[in-house]
Amino acid sequence: MTEARDLTPPGTEPAGTAPADRGSSFARLGVILLLGLVVAWFTWDAVGNLIALPELLTGLGLEQSIPWPVLVLGVAMPAVFYVAAVAIGVRLTLARLTLVLIACLAAIAATRLSLIAVATGTLMVLVL
Amino acid sequence: MPRTPPDDDAALRWDDVDDPSWVEAQSAEGRGEADADPDAHTDADADHDELHSATHEPARASLALSLVTAVGALVYLVYSIAWIVGVSSLPLNGPTLVLEVLYQFAEFLAIIASALWFVTAVMLTAGSLGRRAGWLALGTLVLLPWPFVLGVLA
């Protein structure tokens, strides 16, 4: 993060004269925040599952089969992945940063479906 | 004494090997290649002594890089197909239209995740065999298509 700020020092020159391939730190922050909204939705969805699924299973009398590890992992995973991607991509050019972040979003979506598959798979095994 | 007529097309040809600029261009190209993959050399430092034949080493390193990339491409292609099959087997429906759209978008992201990871890893590790192999290997663990795997096992 500091390295990116050093390369495009704010206030020394107008934003329009910043090197085109690196982009301004404002643009970087914008991309990180914009794509972060998707991460926020993934986290929100996982929190919803963490709250709703135990209620549903408790109502059905299946308290023992609540997949707690998967539910908790689902909440933590998007933020962990995204922070790692930002740490990797922040030193790169704006285009590459965007590519890394979009790839990270896709990896989050894939891992989310994997967690859902594992949770429903174990539930099916336990129920049947 | 008759003067030789000036060769009007001389500047348009690249075939004068004796021209000093030809030699310079060649050596500059060689330097460029050496500069392009400093990481490959540092990664290969461990077995540098065994592979000390100076002329074959860059060719061997680039062959290994191509091989890793090709194997990675094959694995990630299989992963993409497995994700397409796996996602279609997951009965996920959003309760509202907005959620349904978001769920569909997330499924689309999951399907393209393997291709995106591969492209990103190859782009960001140009010339570095160790780092490329490492990132591609990490991707095969992170993106393991569990919906497909569990569907096959069930």
Side-chain angles (χ1 to χ4, degrees):
Chain A
M1 198 66 102
T2 52
E3 196 178 336
R5 275 204 298 273
D6 290 342
L7 288 166
T8 53
T12 53
E13 48 187 19
T17 61
D21 62 332
R22 296 206 66 89
S24 65
S25 37
F26 184 73
R28 278 153 196 284
L29 195 62
V31 168
I32 291 171
L33 290 180
L34 190 69
L35 296 178
L37 288 178
V38 184
V39 179
W41 175 72
F42 279 127
T43 310
W44 177 255
D45 186 61
V47 169
N49 284 337
L50 180 64
I51 295 169
L53 196 62
E55 277 181 12
L56 179 72
L57 290 178
T58 309
L60 293 171
L62 296 167
E63 292 93 345
Q64 300 88 356
S65 56
I66 298 173
W68 287 113
V70 175
L71 290 175
V72 173
L73 263 180
V75 174
M77 179 270 299
V80 171
F81 275 29
Y82 199 64
V83 167
V86 168
I88 291 167
V90 80
R91 289 164 301 182
L92 306 172
T93 62
L94 181 61
R96 290 186 167 203
L97 168 70
T98 311
L99 178 67
V100 168
L101 293 185
I102 291 176
C104 171
L105 289 186
I108 291 172
T111 311
R112 167 179 170 269
L113 288 186
S114 284
L115 290 176
I116 289 174
V118 169
T120 52
T122 46
L123 274 184
M124 289 302 171
V125 170
L126 287 169
V127 171
L128 296 177
Chain B
M1 182 176 170
R3 288 165 54 187
T4 51
D7 186 359
D8 288 338
D9 291 336
L12 303 176
R13 287 201 306 264
W14 289 97
D15 56 358
D16 191 0
V17 183
D18 294 330
D19 190 81
S21 68
W22 168 270
V23 179
E24 264 178 33
Q26 289 290 40
S27 58
E29 196 175 289
R31 274 204 307 276
E33 273 177 16
D35 289 344
D37 54 354
D39 290 338
H41 282 277
T42 52
D43 282 336
D45 268 349
D47 42 15
H48 186 263
D49 293 334
E50 291 102 40
L51 304 168
H52 202 61
S53 61
T55 51
H56 290 296
E57 196 179 327
R60 201 175 296 183
S62 109
L63 180 70
L65 199 62
S66 304
L67 198 67
V68 164
T69 312
V71 171
L74 195 66
V75 171
Y76 279 83
L77 184 66
V78 171
Y79 267 40
S80 288
I81 296 168
W83 268 110
I84 292 171
V85 175
V87 162
S88 63
S89 73
L90 276 178
L92 277 181
N93 289 309
T96 65
L97 182 64
V98 177
L99 278 181
E100 176 67 24
V101 169
L102 284 171
Y103 276 33
Q104 295 285 342
F105 176 62
E107 290 185 355
F108 169 71
L109 274 181
I111 287 172
I112 63 168
S114 303
L116 270 178
W117 187 294
F118 177 76
V119 169
T120 310
V122 167
M123 266 190 76
L124 297 187
T125 60
S128 168
L129 177 62
R131 287 199 302 147
R132 178 170 296 180
W135 278 108
L136 290 180
L138 181 66
T140 59
L141 294 179
V142 173
L143 300 175
L144 199 66
W146 282 106
F148 177 79
V149 172
L150 292 175
V152 166
L153 294 182

